[in-house]
Amino acid sequence: PGGSRDPPRGDVRGGGRLLVTGLTGLYDERGKKRSDFALADVLGVSYLGTNRYPDYYSDQAPPGLLRGEAFKVEPHDAKTLTYFLNPETIWTKGTTVLWQDPPPDPAQRYPLVTLNRFGNGQCIYIAASIGNTIFQNVRESGYLDTYPVKLLREALRTLEIQPSVITTTMGTEVVLNKHKEGYVLHLINHLAGPPLWLSDTDHGEVRGVEVAIRKSKIGNPTKAMELVTGKVIPLRQEGE
């Protein structure tokens, strides 16, 4: 309701739910940086700048640095759910730190996950590039840090969002596009080869991955296939 003239602002105001991460909305359609998020009023936070440390801690995460970029924001209407903390220093070969990772600095504490009520709806903002963090960790170190995934799942649960697509895959990009004829779900395996993934390293094929589609949201699936080979993948329907 009220979203036809001003989506997604109107959609959230009318009772919708919105999940935003990283620098979404900070750049215009020409790639020019804005002074603040395009939906700053919906997010309930304003952009301050990129965090100067390449890694950060979460006040709710298990011990260990989170490898990835975070951003500093200032809440004006939003409630902070989770904070991130910078390490006391950046680890280098010339830095003497037990177990290499420097401890978190309580004085450098910034909002990581915020929740804002906008009209009749709600918006969660995560001040980090979650998708980039997941892929970067695996590509550089072959290690999957599940905490960014946990952040996304908890955000969806808080917003009471029922996903249209549920999948067991990790490290595979899942894109759902809406067309006039219906929907197209596209899986792209960026990480064929690493032992973390059930994949065929010679052909880059995704193996052992389950994908479920919620029929009440996007309808009955009609066809599944491998784009490279044209091989048809059998479908199975069970309830919703």
Side-chain angles (χ1 to χ4, degrees):
S4 58
R5 295 182 180 179
D6 187 23
R9 184 177 282 104
D11 293 334
V12 178
R13 183 183 290 112
R17 304 288 191 268
L18 182 64
L19 173 60
V20 179
T21 67
L23 299 179
T24 302
L26 190 64
Y27 292 82
D28 64 18
E29 63 276 10
R30 293 179 176 84
K32 183 178 179 180
K33 188 176 181 180
R34 296 186 171 102
S35 60
D36 202 354
F37 298 114
L39 295 174
D41 55 336
V42 181
L43 274 59
V45 302
S46 291
Y47 176 78
L48 296 180
T50 301
N51 189 37
R52 67 189 183 95
Y53 286 84
D55 310 305
Y56 59 94
Y57 287 96
S58 167
D59 64 348
Q60 296 183 12
L65 281 170
L66 298 171
R67 313 290 177 181
E69 196 170 41
F71 308 99
K72 294 181 181 179
V73 297
E74 180 181 8
H76 41 79
D77 295 315
K79 174 185 177 182
T80 301
L81 304 180
T82 305
Y83 291 87
F84 76 84
L85 296 88
N86 280 329
E88 289 184 346
T89 183
I90 298 176
W91 184 88
T92 66
K93 290 183 179 179
T95 305
T96 303
V97 179
L98 185 63
W99 307 122
Q100 294 189 348
D101 284 346
D105 182 3
Q108 300 186 65
R109 183 171 174 262
Y110 309 98
L112 177 60
V113 182
T114 59
L115 172 65
N116 186 45
R117 298 188 183 278
F118 185 78
N120 296 322
Q122 299 180 66
C123 175
I124 281 185
Y125 172 70
I126 303 177
S129 297
I130 298 299
N132 290 341
T133 296
I134 295 172
F135 283 127
Q136 179 181 338
N137 290 346
V138 176
R139 284 170 175 163
E140 292 183 357
S141 63
Y143 170 71
L144 175 64
D145 190 340
T146 58
Y147 186 70
V149 180
K150 178 184 176 183
L151 281 178
L152 290 176
R153 288 176 174 169
E154 289 182 347
L156 291 173
R157 187 162 49 248
T158 299
L159 292 174
E160 298 180 343
I161 293 177
Q162 286 191 333
S164 301
V165 178
I166 301 174
T167 175
T168 60
T169 181
M170 288 284 190
T172 296
E173 182 178 350
V174 181
V175 181
L176 180 65
N177 287 319
K178 185 176 182 180
H179 299 269
K180 293 181 179 179
E181 298 79 11
Y183 291 87
V184 174
L185 179 66
H186 193 195
L187 274 69
I188 309 171
N189 186 11
H190 291 280
L191 303 167
L196 286 170
W197 319 119
L198 300 175
S199 56
D200 185 321
T201 57
D202 294 328
H203 301 91
E205 298 175 353
V206 178
R207 300 284 186 180
V209 171
E210 296 181 357
V211 179
I213 298 172
R214 196 179 302 277
K215 294 190 293 183
S216 62
K217 287 184 174 286
I218 61 176
N220 289 317
T222 57
K223 184 179 182 181
M225 63 177 292
E226 295 178 2
L227 287 180
V228 177
T229 64
K231 179 182 177 181
V232 175
I233 301 172
L235 300 171
R236 184 178 72 235
Q237 299 189 27
E238 296 180 359
E240 168 66 1

